[in-house]
Amino acid sequence: MVRILPTFDYEQALWKQGFNFIAGVDEVGRGAWAGPVVASAVAFAPEFRIENLECRIDDSKRLTADQREIAAQWIKKNALAWSVGEVGVATINRIGIGKATAIAMRKAVLGCNQKLEVRRGNVDNEVRSEKGKSIIPLQNLHSNFPLPTSIGFLLVDAFYIPYVRGVRHNRQMPIIKGDQKSISIAAASIIAKVYRDSLMESLGKQFKFEKYGWGKNKGYGTREHQNEILRNGLTHLHRVQFVETWRTKQLA
């Protein structure tokens, strides 16, 4: 079966409406039993041409690890701005995964805005010192592109993000399976997964965690992970509610 890849259709419709800075947002690790939840926000310049893609941009779950690594490097090089937001297990255990995920997404959006501010300052300085010079690849920009000051619209995988400063619900579009439809959301899913997978692999190499197999299962509740929890108990990086829910079902 031929899979249809994400496109810029949603972004192009919004660019035509005058929203210059559109970020795709997605999260990784929401359903894991251990480790943080990670979100990413990625924005491409208006009228970024799809023929400039030099790798496969897709839902991170539909890519191999090598494909994700190549794509992540390309995204970081070519996106107008990108950022990652992370929320740790202590917060997840205290307030729940839903609220923690929203915090991670807000952090990612804030980070994107901060990078844009830095980039805008760099462009202003370079224009003053060398007229016409820009740090943004010219082939990726529309000729009339005005560098924005902050995110104007969010494309989000599945649901709205509450309390995003400057981007209320009327400037957010939740898209079911958005990481399979929007390149911006797919790019965010790739950045977030590469970041979180690398983190879990590093944690899994530590002596006190290596028995749980996080390098392989990335903290998700695989059979191997379940068995090791039964043998060795929980660590401070486990999500208590997730494990207790599983234990309750086992006893039912």
Side-chain angles (χ1 to χ4, degrees):
M1 185 179 76
V2 178
R3 286 177 172 170
I4 299 175
L5 294 175
T7 68
F8 274 125
D9 289 353
Y10 290 97
E11 291 86 340
Q12 287 173 343
L14 291 165
W15 285 333
K16 289 178 181 178
Q17 294 178 41
F19 294 104
N20 287 327
F21 194 33
I22 302 160
V25 184
D26 200 4
E27 56 75 26
V28 171
R30 185 184 179 100
W33 288 19
V37 62
V38 173
S40 177
V42 176
F44 291 94
E47 305 303 331
F48 188 98
R49 296 194 297 271
I50 197 166
E51 59 266 26
N52 289 335
L53 294 177
E54 299 171 359
C55 58
R56 178 170 172 173
I57 305 296
D58 198 355
D59 173 1
S60 61
K61 297 184 293 297
R62 303 202 301 194
L63 301 176
T64 66
D66 287 343
Q67 287 175 323
R68 287 193 293 268
E69 288 286 350
I70 293 169
Q73 292 303 314
W74 184 91
I75 293 163
K76 292 175 181 179
K77 180 180 177 182
N78 288 275
L80 180 61
W82 64 272
S83 186
V84 168
E86 176 183 347
V87 173
V89 175
T91 300
I92 294 171
N93 285 338
R94 188 176 73 252
I95 67 175
I97 189 61
K99 291 180 180 179
T101 300
I103 291 173
M105 288 182 161
R106 288 195 291 271
K107 284 184 174 182
V109 173
L110 176 61
C112 242
N113 279 333
Q114 291 172 339
K115 285 190 174 182
L116 183 64
E117 290 175 6
V118 171
R119 189 160 208 176
R120 185 182 180 91
N122 288 341
V123 169
D124 289 343
N125 290 334
E126 289 182 359
V127 168
R128 282 195 293 269
S129 62
E130 187 176 340
K131 187 176 180 181
K133 183 180 179 183
S134 172
I135 63 171
I136 303 170
L138 295 179
Q139 70 271 21
N140 296 346
L141 292 176
H142 187 274
S143 58
N144 296 320
F145 171 67
L147 194 62
T149 57
S150 63
I151 291 172
F153 204 100
L154 295 175
L155 297 174
V156 190
D157 189 33
F159 54 86
Y160 290 104
I161 310 172
Y163 311 120
V164 180
R165 182 178 298 178
V167 193
R168 296 183 178 180
H169 282 191
N170 64 345
R171 292 199 173 187
Q172 297 183 31
M173 183 184 296
I175 304 170
I176 302 299
K177 294 187 178 179
D179 48 8
Q180 298 179 20
K181 299 174 182 177
S182 159
I183 287 179
S184 297
I185 298 177
S189 79
I190 291 168
I191 293 292
K193 183 159 180 61
V194 169
Y195 177 94
R196 188 179 186 279
D197 282 1
S198 177
L199 176 61
M200 294 307 295
E201 288 166 7
S202 295
L203 290 170
K205 293 176 183 177
Q206 296 181 24
F207 177 75
K208 57 185 175 181
F209 303 131
E210 62 183 3
K211 61 179 72 74
Y212 296 97
W214 293 344
K216 182 179 179 181
N217 61 50
K218 307 302 187 289
Y220 285 87
T222 63
R223 180 62 59 86
E224 174 194 26
H225 196 177
Q226 293 172 9
N227 290 338
E228 291 303 327
I229 289 173
L230 292 175
R231 291 190 189 100
N232 301 287
L234 300 182
T235 71
H236 69 281
L237 292 182
H238 277 101
R239 303 179 188 177
V240 176
Q241 184 177 359
F242 283 56
V243 178
E244 291 305 321
T245 298
W246 165 68
R247 283 176 170 167
T248 300
K249 289 181 179 178
Q250 294 296 106
L251 296 173

